Amino acid sequence: MKNYLILFSLFVSVFMMANINLPAIFTDNMVLQRNAEVVIWGSASPKEEITLKADFLDKEYKTVAGNDATFKFIIPTGKEGGPYKISLKGYNEVVLNNVMLGEVWLLSGQSNMEMSASWGIKDGDMEVSKANHPNIRFFSVPKLSSEFPQNNLYGNWQICTPETMKNFSAIGYFFAQKLQENLKNVPIGLIASAWGGSAAELWTPKEVFEANPLILDNYKKIKPSEYYPSQIAGAYNAMIYPLNDFKMKGILWYQGETNTGNPDGYKDLLASMIASWRKAKADNLPFYIIQIAGYTGWSDTTVRIKNAQRIVAQSTENSGLVVTSDLDKTDDIHPKNKKPVGIRMANLVLKNNYGFVNGLVESPAHKNVDFKENKTILQFDFAEGLHFKNKSSELFEVAGNDGIFHKAKAVLKGNQIILHTDAVAKPVEVRYAWSNVAIPDVYNKAELPLSSFTTENLK
């Protein structure tokens, strides 16, 4: 009996010591950001010495777990490549296989970011059948909400196959496919953390609301739903915060539909959310916004969300906007034509963040307005080859001091548009495509549409 007790005691001691644990973001098949200093962290027994080895490293790294039972390695990754093996050894050993070094992007927002080929996207069956890309990897964050920031989440990295692509973000997949085509098969890792129906407030850290009473007041107007929580910062705490130490190249954001019910303050909310994410990661990450499309089931407050997204993208450093209003009819809350959205986003990223010169890849963007007597003169960025889709535009309006807008005749003069209407003797405001269901009719030579905009001073 004494011998059995000794053996049992030894077994328990070994079991208690064999406790290197890694967060779920570190699994087989993962992608680590290339050419970077990346963090690998986890938990172990206090004072446990841990050794990290990897095929792409020229030396071993050692650390000792702290008295809080956590450890952290900061290691260089170097250029793209793989597959590699990473091992962490202490009292036990954890081995990660088929690890790639490449480009890592986070995808977040609501259902149109979450939407996969299995939802019935355009040409979905054909795209699924071709989705064999072993150097594209997916990580899907499950829907989780928490009152407090969490240290871990669930999930695992998967290789892109027809079976895995079918249930992953379609926009994300097409984005990765285009990136890889231009980056010559550099591995791409996509982390999808999205929740259909979620308001932007759900993705914003609590301290933003504490610092801005107006944002907090707007949050209180969110109506509860049986499909998503309305808990302040709930998704951020459970679905973004655990990823803050994981090195990424950038972030793609497609959200705003739920906030159409209360558009006041969305501009400040989105800008504050972006700043808070960057601060938490201590990295001025590229942050790209996909503008929501129109939908006949929404009120015309929708266009105010689109305008807010435009302003934030234009005024935020290291950001950009993808306009989508021209790609589908307005009768579907989940537009099916996802491939052009992913490609437009990839083209922006390739130009801005990878130095590829692929011609004009930006939509025309409102830059400046001059009011001269009864005429309005508009200037635009990215306006090369500016033209009207139907030989004329029916979507411009101007207003005088009375604030009443009237349809205006638009005339192209080079890369400028000049507006006039006899109904307004002295215009002071102008807007374009100011309707939930307006389909753009102004494009540049790349056939990219002009976003809705207004010069009104809206919240």
Side-chain angles (χ1 to χ4, degrees), residues 214-232:
L214 291 177
I215 291 178
L216 180 60
D217 287 343
N218 282 328
Y219 158 73
K220 293 176 181 178
K221 299 175 185 177
I222 297 176
K223 297 179 181 179
S225 169
E226 59 184 311
Y227 298 107
Y228 50 88
S230 57
Q231 183 181 52
I232 191 169

Side-chain angles (χ1 to χ4, degrees), residues 5 10 23 33 41 98 114 136 159 235 289 320 347 355 416 423 458:
L5 289 174
L10 288 171
Q33 180 62 42
W41 71 95
N98 197 22
E114 184 184 2
I136 295 177
I159 296 170
I289 300 166
N347 284 336
Q416 294 182 339
L458 299 177

Side-chain angles (χ1 to χ4, degrees), residues 55-132:
D55 298 344
F56 56 85
L57 295 173
D58 57 9
K59 66 176 183 178
E60 295 181 357
Y61 286 75
K62 294 181 182 293
T63 193
V64 176
N67 60 6
D68 61 351
T70 66
F71 66 86
K72 179 184 291 187
F73 289 97
I74 300 176
I75 60 172
T77 52
K79 69 176 184 178
E80 68 275 3
Y84 297 118
K85 181 172 75 173
I86 300 175
S87 71
L88 296 97
K89 190 171 184 179
Y91 299 136
N92 66 321
E93 184 175 15
V94 176
V95 178
L96 305 174
N97 294 298
N98 197 22
V99 175
M100 310 298 288
L101 304 183
E103 296 295 292
V104 180
W105 286 83
L106 174 65
L107 321 172
S108 192
Q110 39 181 129
S111 56
N112 275 304
M113 181 63 89
E114 184 184 2
M115 186 175 176
S116 66
S118 65
W119 293 29
I121 66 169
K122 183 179 180 181
D123 300 324
D125 290 343
M126 179 187 68
E127 296 293 349
V128 167
S129 68
K130 301 187 298 181
N132 285 297

